[in-house]
Amino acid sequence: MKKYLFVDRDGTLIEEPADQQIDSYAKLALLPEVIPALRQCQAAGYELIMVTNQDGLGTASFPEEQFWGPHRLMLQIFESQGVRFADTLIDRSFAHEGLATRKPGTGLMHGYLADDGWSRQASAMVGDRDTDIQFAANIGVRGFRLGDGEWNWPEIARTLCSAPRRAQVERKTRETRIRVRVDLDKPGDAVVATGLGFFDHMLEQIGKHAGIGLALECAGDTHIDEHHTVEDCALALGQALRQALGDKRGIGRYGQALEGEGEGADSIVLPMDETLARAALDLSGRPYFIFDGSFPRERVGDLPTELVPHFFRSLCETLAANLHLAVRGDNAHHMVEACFKAVARALRQALRRDGDDLPSTKGLL
């Protein structure tokens, strides 16, 4: 979904003079550090929308010919530095008129408010007055007020563009109750409790080798069968990972890993004796799973080996990932563990963030 950064003009983009009118070129002065901050926000995928009250624009107290020259020069300066506003919304009324188009009213926003194609949660508003913050609340986005002692342009850009990639998901059915938390940028010891000891150990491998923070608790109907617990944990984990990824800007997207010993182990190698597992992953937004392998016994601990490929298939469904996984070996324990570690190492590469570019020519993932 699109995300917008709504921005006030006077006192936010440019200095506001004592008479509160930029009606001459001499009064035009950009705020410090606004250009690099807006460039950073644009690179992170924000579309910039200017929303400004211009008291009495077009009346005798503020003739239009005095407004447009400095305004157009301001836009030219921004554009010369790669900062472009997708839209400019101007209210010309006075405060005493009480019109709905004047911030904090939302009359200028009808087209945007009727559009479900942008994320309110990911979007934000920057201004310098309480009315700007109230406007942000009225349209359902986060508000930042400049000059309040906490926020300046570099700090706003850092907060918007480098936000922690975290998510928490709760999944409740008649068969399972699951809570999972992930933090893609803060590795830590995985905390897992599903009621299936060997499955807990495998999920811990995902947290450790993917380099993420992971906590997962499940109360499932294991007295009936292991199937619901394994499947629903995969669905909840995939949903949490996808939610934490946000718009996927800057991620590696692709990951591939090779685990085992022997000829051809030229990527990530871990000692799994006779076992070799290969995983190739694409966080494409299109779920697809291919598995090549067979296990020499039906269970490892309390985990049926037939549920191993089913786990990864279910993970791909909610993560919206394309995964190819292959394993060969003689020891079922080694084979299952190698599968989880290989996928985790592929995830580690795919999740890694370096920059702000979206790794797709489609414009979305």
Side-chain angles (χ1 to χ4, degrees):
M1 299 178 73
K2 290 182 178 181
K3 55 183 181 181
Y4 293 123
L5 182 59
F6 300 100
V7 186
D8 178 47
R9 197 190 79 146
D10 303 352
T12 302
L13 296 173
I14 54 181
E15 300 281 358
E16 186 167 36
D19 62 4
Q20 300 182 346
Q21 281 191 354
I22 290 70
D23 51 11
S24 69
Y25 293 104
K27 292 181 177 180
L28 181 62
L30 272 62
L31 256 65
E33 301 177 292
V34 63
I35 287 178
L38 291 178
R39 283 171 58 95
Q40 185 178 350
C41 291
Q42 277 190 161
Y46 286 93
E47 290 190 27
L48 306 180
I49 309 295
M50 190 187 308
V51 189
T52 177
N53 294 338
Q54 294 296 323
D55 294 15
L57 178 60
T59 67
S61 65
F62 196 0
E64 289 209 33
E65 58 269 21
Q66 295 178 2
F67 170 82
W68 288 111
H71 181 78
R72 292 190 180 108
L73 178 59
M74 176 196 70
L75 293 178
Q76 289 172 7
I77 294 171
F78 279 122
E79 288 179 6
S80 73
Q81 301 302 308
V83 176
R84 294 175 177 83
F85 290 88
D87 197 2
T88 299
L89 307 176
I90 300 175
D91 177 69
R92 300 162 173 256
S93 68
F94 290 102
H96 68 265
E97 296 178 80
L99 298 185
T101 53
R102 182 183 176 87
K103 291 181 297 181
T106 61
L108 290 176
M109 294 289 296
H110 285 164
Y112 290 95
L113 295 178
D115 181 8
D116 292 328
W118 61 282
S119 169
R120 276 65 170 169
Q121 182 178 2
S123 298
M125 169 72 190
V126 182
D128 66 317
R129 298 186 180 187
D130 288 339
T131 51
D132 294 312
I133 303 308
Q134 184 58 53
F135 173 77
N138 290 345
I139 64 174
V141 304
R142 183 176 182 179
F144 296 89
R145 183 176 178 182
L146 289 170
D148 65 354
E150 178 180 4
W151 297 110
N152 55 40
W153 270 116
E155 186 63 20
I156 291 170
R158 188 200 67 80
T159 300
L160 290 174
C161 303
S162 303
R165 297 181 297 168
R166 300 174 184 147
Q168 177 170 313
V169 167
E170 293 189 21
R171 178 182 174 88
K172 295 181 180 180
T173 71
R174 294 180 179 178
E175 299 155 343
T176 58
R177 297 189 306 278
I178 299 170
R179 175 180 295 177
V180 57
R181 298 186 303 277
V182 296
D183 188 330
L184 305 189
D185 302 306
K186 189 176 182 181
D189 292 336
V191 179
V192 180
T194 67
L196 301 173
F198 185 71
F199 184 48
D200 288 354
H201 184 46
M202 294 302 97
L203 292 175
E204 289 168 358
Q205 303 306 316
I206 290 181
K208 178 66 174 180
H209 291 283
I212 62 175
L214 172 63
L216 189 151
E217 301 173 358
C218 175
D221 57 358
T222 53
H223 62 286
I224 296 176
D225 188 61
E226 304 89 354
H227 184 101
H228 297 145
T229 290
V230 173
E231 177 182 66
D232 288 3
C233 284
L235 293 172
L237 176 58
Q239 182 182 348
L241 289 171
R242 186 176 186 183
Q243 185 174 315
L245 277 167
D247 62 9
K248 302 183 184 177
R249 285 187 172 272
I251 66 167
R253 176 179 169 179
Y254 296 99
Q256 55 184 348
L258 177 65
E259 283 196 77
E261 290 183 335
E263 294 296 325
D266 57 357
S267 185
I268 299 169
V269 180
L270 289 169
M272 296 302 296
D273 299 334
E274 84 301 336
T275 292
L276 189 69
R278 292 183 178 88
L281 178 72
D282 177 12
L283 300 179
S284 61
R286 301 182 303 276
Y288 207 92
F289 176 66
I290 296 292
F291 179 72
D292 182 14
S294 61
F295 299 99
R297 57 189 170 108
E298 293 183 356
R299 304 180 72 88
V300 177
D302 45 17
L303 179 67
T305 53
E306 69 175 4
L307 291 181
V308 173
H310 186 70
F311 171 87
F312 291 113
R313 181 175 292 108
S314 300
L315 181 74
C316 288
E317 287 178 6
T318 49
L319 178 54
N322 176 202
L323 174 62
H324 289 245
L325 177 62
V327 63
R328 63 175 174 83
D330 299 321
N331 183 297
H333 183 129
H334 293 163
M335 294 171 69
V336 173
E337 187 165 343
C339 285
F340 276 83
K341 287 181 176 178
V343 172
R345 284 284 167 167
L347 266 172
R348 189 187 194 100
Q349 295 180 7
L351 296 173
R352 184 173 294 141
R353 185 165 58 182
D354 182 16
D356 297 306
D357 289 340
L358 185 69
S360 173
T361 57
K362 296 179 182 295
L364 67 122
L365 277 174

